[in-house]
Amino acid sequence: MCGRYASTKAPTDLAEEFTAVDAVTEKAGEERRPDYNVAPTRDVIAVVQRHPRDAEGNADPDTTERSLRLVRWGLVPFWAKDPSAGARMINARSETAAEKPAFRKALASRRCLLPADGWYEWQRRAATKDHKASKQPYFTHYADGSSLAMAGLWEFWRPKEGELLEKYPDGLVTATVLTTGAVGPLAQVHDRMPLVLPRDAWDAWLDPDTDAKADSVQAWLRPPSEQLVASLEIVPVSDRVNSVKNNSADLLTPLDPAQVEEPIQLDLLG
């Protein structure tokens, strides 16, 4: 699963990396602060591709535009009565998303990428007679510092009437992170991982006119290649990340393996 990640790069840098228009800074009019401990229900940056619309709201069917947008993490289905459902839908299993009422329409035409420096996952160890139960957080990221592109789905929700309409007059744009089976050493931390897409998958994944049933999309709804996983680095980090109140650069500082009880794959941690 993916329940916490880091997103510290400025939108202007992400726009260049993902060849997209920076609509985040354009709309906010101010610099976005780095987030070292992204938690569910926060606003996060997503890369989307849509047909541009004119002043009257008519879409241009002949062109698409890729842009960075702010979305709330935790998908709220369009049919939900209230936005509380989003807190339970921060992840969607890539194997079954096409079958789930909450995700299937989004998978068909509202796919996105969620840029991240890397994601946190906790390795759980059961209690034994010699050790008490523990959870060791690990941070997984590209060794070369480039951004991960986590596959996501986005949805638009708007209440029909009443107090919620007054509270959300423009509706909500929300998103979920797709997950898949963990590969290689990642499986030693957890059996699930975010669905990380390589650069050559981005065009087909983001194309709003390519149905999810197309081979060009289906090809990426599976665990990443061993080559992609080999480009990742897995490092143990402080359990300060456990609290969403902690949000500073030191959360990404690797722990010395000597500080970790039974660290995974020591060759990867050096």
Side-chain angles (χ1 to χ4, degrees), residues 166-234:
E166 295 179 9
K167 186 175 181 179
Y168 303 102
D170 299 322
L172 280 176
V173 181
T174 60
T176 189
V177 176
L178 284 168
T179 66
T180 188
V183 177
L186 297 172
Q188 296 182 56
V189 180
H190 197 279
D191 62 351
R192 303 291 294 177
M193 63 175 286
L195 179 58
V196 179
L197 297 181
R199 186 175 293 272
D200 57 354
W202 296 358
D203 288 348
W205 183 258
L206 291 173
D207 186 352
D209 299 321
T210 301
D211 189 85
K213 296 179 181 179
D215 291 344
S216 59
V217 173
Q218 286 292 313
W220 303 111
L221 285 170
R222 60 188 63 172
S225 68
E226 292 183 2
Q227 182 180 5
L228 186 149
V229 173
S231 66
L232 297 172
E233 185 175 30
I234 312 167

Side-chain angles (χ1 to χ4, degrees), residues 47-266:
V47 182
V48 303
Q49 191 160 316
R50 307 300 292 167
H51 292 285
R53 296 180 179 273
D54 60 23
E56 298 179 352
N58 300 309
D60 181 349
D62 299 322
T63 62
T64 60
E65 180 181 78
R66 185 178 299 181
S67 62
L68 302 185
R69 303 283 178 172
L70 278 184
V71 300
R72 180 179 293 187
W73 186 14
L75 188 141
V76 180
F78 67 91
W79 40 259
K81 294 182 178 180
D82 63 72
S84 63
R88 302 187 301 276
M89 297 189 185
I90 63 170
N91 291 159
R93 295 177 69 94
S94 59
E95 302 91 337
T96 58
E99 307 164 9
K100 301 296 183 180
F103 305 126
R104 60 192 177 201
K105 286 193 174 183
L107 180 63
S109 61
R110 289 185 292 278
R111 300 179 295 272
C112 65
L113 298 174
L114 298 167
D117 296 32
W119 78 91
Y120 300 99
E121 192 56 80
W122 284 259
Q123 183 184 45
R124 298 175 183 269
R125 294 191 181 280
T128 67
K129 64 178 182 179
D130 299 316
H131 302 282
K132 61 182 180 180
S134 62
K135 294 191 299 181
Q136 172 60 53
Y138 284 85
F139 184 68
T140 301
H141 62 102
Y142 278 132
D144 65 4
S146 56
S147 294
L148 295 170
M150 300 190 297
L153 309 175
W154 67 273
E155 185 61 89
F156 178 75
W157 173 85
R158 186 178 183 182
K160 296 181 179 180
E161 58 186 4
E163 293 182 2
L164 285 175
L165 183 57
E166 295 179 9
K167 186 175 181 179
Y168 303 102
D170 299 322
L172 280 176
V173 181
T174 60
T176 189
V177 176
L178 284 168
T179 66
T180 188
V183 177
L186 297 172
Q188 296 182 56
V189 180
H190 197 279
D191 62 351
R192 303 291 294 177
M193 63 175 286
L195 179 58
V196 179
L197 297 181
R199 186 175 293 272
D200 57 354
W202 296 358
D203 288 348
W205 183 258
L206 291 173
D207 186 352
D209 299 321
T210 301
D211 189 85
K213 296 179 181 179
D215 291 344
S216 59
V217 173
Q218 286 292 313
W220 303 111
L221 285 170
R222 60 188 63 172
S225 68
E226 292 183 2
Q227 182 180 5
L228 186 149
V229 173
S231 66
L232 297 172
E233 185 175 30
I234 312 167
V235 295
V237 293
S238 167
D239 61 7
R240 291 186 65 250
V241 73
N242 295 2
S243 172
V244 296
K245 295 179 180 180
N246 297 324
N247 200 324
S248 54
D250 64 299
L251 296 182
L252 306 184
T253 302
L255 291 180
D256 186 316
Q259 298 177 260
V260 182
E261 181 183 338
E262 299 181 35
I264 67 165
Q265 297 291 320
L266 287 174

